[in-house]
Amino acid sequence: DCELVANNGRWARIDTTCNEFYSGSSYRKLGLTSYGNCQQNFVWGWERQPSASLCRFTHRHTVELKTKLEKRTILFIGDITTQHMFHAVCRALGDNDANGFDSNNPKHGDIVKELSSIDKHDPHDISMVYKWAPLATDQVRKLREYEHVTVDMLPDLLVMGGG
């Protein structure tokens, strides 16, 4: 049962390409690997659980995530915290520049990304969509945009959050 261990973990540095100590420690204790940048970012990692616990919280590697999410659309609706989750998932899928400074994009706006699948020649990308909606009324309005779309236009996963 994962309920007992859901909070057993810690924040770990992910600037592992610049510091071999953090790289080894994060990998051995939490299963985290590099995101390929030298910024001082942190990511949550769960402590490894014994196999008898039947709880499998773990960091998922990019190849595994891309394989599982191929041909899928993930929709994030919410405030800045939800936007940070969107960028974290993009980084986990190999987009190392996610949430980097881009003067062409507004800080509070919608974002759409098509991330490549494992096979670069296969056009079956992973669609990542973020809709800025800081208030509950904004979130309801954004959800209603999907009220009359065909089933094939609906997202495969919806992540919502707000303060």
Side-chain angles (χ1 to χ4, degrees):
D1 196 43
C2 293
E3 181 180 343
L4 300 174
V5 296
N7 293 316
N8 290 352
R10 64 184 167 156
W11 289 100
R13 290 173 59 150
I14 60 170
D15 60 341
T16 57
T17 57
C18 301
N19 187 314
E20 291 300 317
F21 171 77
Y22 289 114
S23 176
S25 175
S26 295
Y27 180 76
R28 285 187 301 279
K29 294 179 181 173
L30 303 169
L32 301 174
T33 57
S34 172
Y35 284 103
N37 66 36
C38 291
Q39 298 174 358
Q40 293 218 356
N41 294 319
F42 290 81
V43 66
W44 181 262
W46 285 279
E47 294 172 2
R48 295 188 192 275
Q49 299 300 316
S51 60
S53 75
L54 302 178
C55 186
R56 299 294 183 267
F57 284 137
T58 186
H59 176 77
R60 305 290 177 196
H61 296 283
T62 301
V63 172
E64 180 183 4
L65 284 172
K66 284 186 171 191
T67 301
K68 303 279 187 200
L69 297 175
E70 187 176 58
K71 305 178 192 174
R72 305 266 189 236
T73 298
I74 303 175
L75 172 63
F76 292 77
I77 298 176
D79 60 5
I80 196 71
T81 302
T82 308
Q83 186 184 69
H84 288 305
M85 287 190 292
F86 167 84
H87 289 304
V89 173
C90 288
R91 284 192 301 272
L93 288 166
D95 181 6
N96 294 330
D97 295 326
N99 202 25
F101 177 74
D102 185 350
S103 62
N104 294 320
N105 292 331
K107 182 172 183 171
H108 302 300
D110 296 352
I111 304 168
V112 176
K113 291 187 174 202
E114 297 293 327
L115 301 176
S116 65
S117 60
I118 297 298
D119 183 357
K120 302 271 188 223
H121 304 293
D122 187 349
H124 301 110
D125 293 336
I126 302 161
S127 297
M128 299 289 294
V129 180
Y130 169 75
K131 301 226 176 229
W132 172 250
L135 304 174
T137 54
D138 300 325
Q139 294 167 10
V140 169
R141 192 179 77 253
K142 295 288 184 172
L143 274 176
R144 285 198 173 131
E145 293 175 8
Y146 292 88
E147 201 169 28
H148 299 291
V149 299
T150 59
V151 173
D152 61 321
M153 297 299 293
L154 290 173
D156 297 290
L157 176 63
L158 170 65
V159 179
M160 277 184 67

